Amino acid sequence: KGESKLVEKTILLKDSETNMSFENDLEWLVINAGGSGFYRVNYSVELLENLKAVLPQLSALERFNLVSDLWALTMNGTVKLNQFLQFTKLFKEETDKNVWSVIVGALQYCDRAFSTDKEAIEHLRALTIEILSPTYKRLGWEAEAGEGELTKQLRGLTIAAMGTTGGEASVVKEAASRYDKHLSGAAQLAPDVLSAVVAVLASNGDKKRYEQFEVSFKNGSSPQEQERYMYALGMFQDSELLEKTLAKTLAGEVKGQNAPYLVRNIMLNPQGRKVGW
């Protein structure tokens, strides 16, 4: 974009390099406009800086690609991790669930990668709470009339991230309160919120909570409910409880087709990696 005028150019990249010229100076530039191309884009620091002010003008798919590309380049060492994490702060007002999925997935990966670094984890928790709090406050815990499916999914994603990676005590407390009401029949939780609540309570749970979820896994009224609690048994932080879960995969308590996925779930748990190996 230059001199308040949008200019769109299309090229077919036949060689390893090519140059593109514009008549006027550019204020900002988006590569892969519309987000339909199957390639990664590595913006220079200057070009990325110029994009910050116009993020709301980009389509959801363009924002998704921007974050996804930057995270992929962080993973391969092209972009520094701190640069990516600072960039995520620009998405505090983001409303698209798929964009948030990339950001939350990146935060969860960092949680696993730096699980033994107390200072890094504290920084990560603070960042998670900082960038997700506006969405958490906006969506709340209950769906509104006419709400879209992706919004419902985003609510669950936000609650789960705030209560697990973020470790936000108020979210854990609210999750416990709402879960008790759900069990008593006083107030039923929507499916996406219920899955998030179960994940939060497992991640922050003790032996008593484990035993409660263990019963729910065994006596679930549907395969979906059984799987929800089965995976939750791999989210606890106590190594003895995780060993107990792993034993279920060999003792026939977990169906053969589900066992590998439960083991994977435990291995993705920062506290379950050594137990799993």
Side-chain angles (χ1 to χ4, degrees), residues 43-54 87 90:
Y43 291 96
S44 67
V45 174
E46 181 182 1
L47 288 176
L48 195 62
E49 189 69 26
N50 292 342
L51 276 175
K52 290 181 178 180
V54 296
F87 193 72
L90 301 173

Side-chain angles (χ1 to χ4, degrees), residues 5-267:
K5 179 181 178 183
L6 285 173
V7 178
E8 185 171 333
K9 289 196 175 187
T10 304
I11 62 169
L12 179 61
L13 189 60
K14 297 179 180 180
D15 303 311
S16 59
E17 293 185 8
T18 190
N19 294 317
M20 181 181 292
S21 61
F22 296 86
E23 295 179 359
N24 302 306
D25 292 337
L26 297 178
E27 294 178 20
W28 50 272
L29 178 70
V30 172
I31 307 296
N32 195 9
S36 57
F38 291 92
Y39 51 84
R40 297 294 189 185
V41 180
N42 180 17
Y43 291 96
S44 67
V45 174
E46 181 182 1
L47 288 176
L48 195 62
E49 189 69 26
N50 292 342
L51 276 175
K52 290 181 178 180
V54 296
L55 280 178
Q57 297 181 40
L58 304 184
S59 69
L61 187 52
E62 289 169 340
R63 297 195 305 274
F64 172 87
N65 279 349
L66 183 61
V67 178
S68 179
D69 289 351
L70 194 61
W71 175 239
L73 292 165
T74 302
M75 289 290 287
N76 76 9
T78 302
V79 174
K80 291 184 178 181
L81 176 60
N82 188 57
Q83 182 184 355
F84 172 81
L85 294 178
Q86 289 298 316
F87 193 72
T88 63
K89 293 183 179 182
L90 301 173
F91 290 82
K92 293 178 183 179
E93 304 302 323
E94 178 60 54
T95 59
D96 187 82
K97 181 259 181 180
N98 294 308
V99 175
W100 273 120
S101 293
V102 177
I103 296 174
V104 170
L107 295 174
Q108 291 172 336
Y109 183 93
C110 292
D111 191 28
R112 295 193 295 271
F114 299 104
S115 60
T116 58
D117 188 329
K118 184 177 179 181
E119 183 178 350
I121 291 301
E122 289 179 354
H123 175 76
L124 184 65
R125 289 194 169 194
L127 176 65
T128 301
I129 294 170
E130 177 185 349
I131 64 177
L132 277 167
S133 285
T135 302
Y136 174 70
K137 293 176 181 178
R138 176 172 60 84
L139 295 180
W141 287 77
E142 298 177 9
E144 297 181 357
E147 194 173 74
E149 187 61 32
L150 288 179
T151 300
K152 295 176 183 177
Q153 293 175 17
L154 177 56
R155 177 179 292 103
L157 179 71
T158 303
I159 292 172
M162 288 280 288
T164 56
T165 309
E168 175 56 51
S170 62
V171 174
V172 178
K173 182 178 180 181
E174 184 69 18
S177 174
R178 288 179 178 268
Y179 185 69
D180 288 342
K181 293 178 181 178
H182 175 80
L183 292 182
S184 68
Q188 291 295 299
L189 292 172
D192 292 304
V193 174
L194 177 58
S195 294
V197 164
V198 170
V200 169
L201 296 182
S203 182
N204 295 275
D206 54 14
K207 184 179 180 180
K208 183 178 180 180
R209 182 70 73 183
Y210 182 95
E211 292 173 347
Q212 181 187 35
F213 283 5
E214 189 177 28
V215 172
S216 296
F217 160 57
K218 292 179 179 179
N219 302 328
S221 59
S222 67
Q224 291 79 9
E225 184 177 2
Q226 291 173 349
E227 286 190 11
R228 175 184 291 125
Y229 288 101
M230 176 192 73
Y231 287 123
L233 296 180
M235 297 179 185
F236 285 79
Q237 303 299 298
D238 186 280
S239 60
E240 291 186 5
L241 297 178
L242 293 176
E243 287 176 1
K244 187 176 181 181
T245 301
L246 281 169
K248 295 180 185 298
T249 67
L250 300 176
E253 293 183 57
V254 175
K255 294 179 181 179
Q257 67 266 30
N258 291 333
Y261 297 102
L262 179 55
V263 173
R264 174 184 179 276
N265 216 44
I266 292 173
M267 298 291 279

